[in-house]
Amino acid sequence: GQNIDQPTEMTATEGAIVQINCTYQTSGFNGLFWYQQHAGEAPTFLSYNVLDGLEEKGRFSSFLSRSKGYSYLLLKELQMKDSASYLCAVMDSNYQLIWGAGTKLIIKP
Amino acid sequence: TAGITQAPTSQILAAGRSMTLRCTQDMRHNAMYWYRQDLGLGLRLIHYSNTAGTTGKGEVPDGYSVSRANTDDFPLTLASAVPSQTSVYFCASSEGSQETQYFGPGTRLLVL
């Protein structure tokens, strides 16, 4: 079967750095996506990785290792508004997105 | 820019009744999707459409039907609602089936 694993919840301090991990086992791989979802709102796109390595976009970076079936989302200089759930999704061989259950990130002052 | 709109925002529905959730996008995207999101689970694909006039089944299609008569609209119909269909429903679209998906604001449905 297909599986995406990520921690259920993480806590971090304002101004700090946090890394959210995602491991996956899917039938085929056509890219990995990270989305942010604030409570009661829709998911919004953050990043896309299809090749190994690090993609940096402002305070957010995303890393992919296809051989290890592993990705992480790195958030720097945390702000209170970063409190949200972060969803990892993999596009499989049928070009359908397989979603993790999400990591709820709590930022404390 | 409206992007993707969904209606209604929320609804309480009696079991056995039918209902259509509406989804409209103004980005001229070819592909559209319906997901449900339940606590503790990842988003699950119900149905999708890669282009106007075609539809396909996702992971959890039973009890739901869709149509794609034109590029902009992708309604989801529950023919006879059951309590297990209580969920938050998100519509999404992408330029092509392999591209980034963008989501509507969601419809919160409670079936009693």
Side-chain angles (χ1 to χ4, degrees), chain B residues 34-54:
Chain B
W34 275 106
Y35 291 93
R36 59 178 290 172
Q37 187 174 40
D38 301 291
L39 206 59
L41 299 177
L43 288 159
R44 291 183 291 170
L45 183 65
I46 304 170
H47 285 287
Y48 65 94
S49 169
N50 287 334
T51 189
T54 69

Side-chain angles (χ1 to χ4, degrees), chain A residues 57-83:
Chain A
K57 194 185 290 186
R59 293 189 299 114
F60 292 10
S61 304
S62 56
F63 171 84
L64 175 67
S65 169
R66 288 172 297 171
S67 63
K68 295 182 178 178
Y70 169 71
S71 173
Y72 67 73
L73 181 68
L74 192 71
L75 291 72
K76 303 176 185 176
E77 301 169 13
L78 286 169
Q79 302 175 10
M80 297 303 293
K81 67 178 182 179
D82 298 330
S83 292

Side-chain angles (χ1 to χ4, degrees), chain A residues 30 33 35 37 39-45 47-48 87 91 94-102, chain B residues 35 37 40-45 48 57-59 90 97-106 108:
Chain A
N30 283 298
F33 296 78
Y35 282 76
Q37 185 177 26
E41 298 183 7
T44 56
F45 170 71
S47 68
Y48 170 70
L87 314 181
M91 185 165 281
N94 293 319
Y95 298 100
Q96 291 188 2
L97 282 179
I98 310 302
W99 295 83
Chain B
Y35 291 93
Q37 187 174 40
L41 299 177
L43 288 159
R44 291 183 291 170
L45 183 65
Y48 65 94
K57 294 182 180 180
E59 180 187 356
F90 286 104
S97 59
Q98 303 170 34
E99 308 295 327
T100 300
Q101 295 180 19
Y102 297 93
F103 285 78
R108 285 145 189 81

Side-chain angles (χ1 to χ4, degrees), chain A residues 15-72:
Chain A
I17 300 173
V18 71
Q19 177 175 311
I20 302 173
N21 296 325
C22 171
T23 59
Y24 62 89
Q25 289 180 307
T26 56
S27 56
F29 179 84
N30 283 298
L32 186 144
F33 296 78
W34 284 96
Y35 282 76
Q36 180 189 60
Q37 185 177 26
H38 285 101
E41 298 183 7
T44 56
F45 170 71
L46 285 177
S47 68
Y48 170 70
N49 294 70
V50 67
L51 299 176
D52 289 352
L54 188 69
E55 294 279 344
E56 297 186 82
K57 194 185 290 186
R59 293 189 299 114
F60 292 10
S61 304
S62 56
F63 171 84
L64 175 67
S65 169
R66 288 172 297 171
S67 63
K68 295 182 178 178
Y70 169 71
S71 173
Y72 67 73

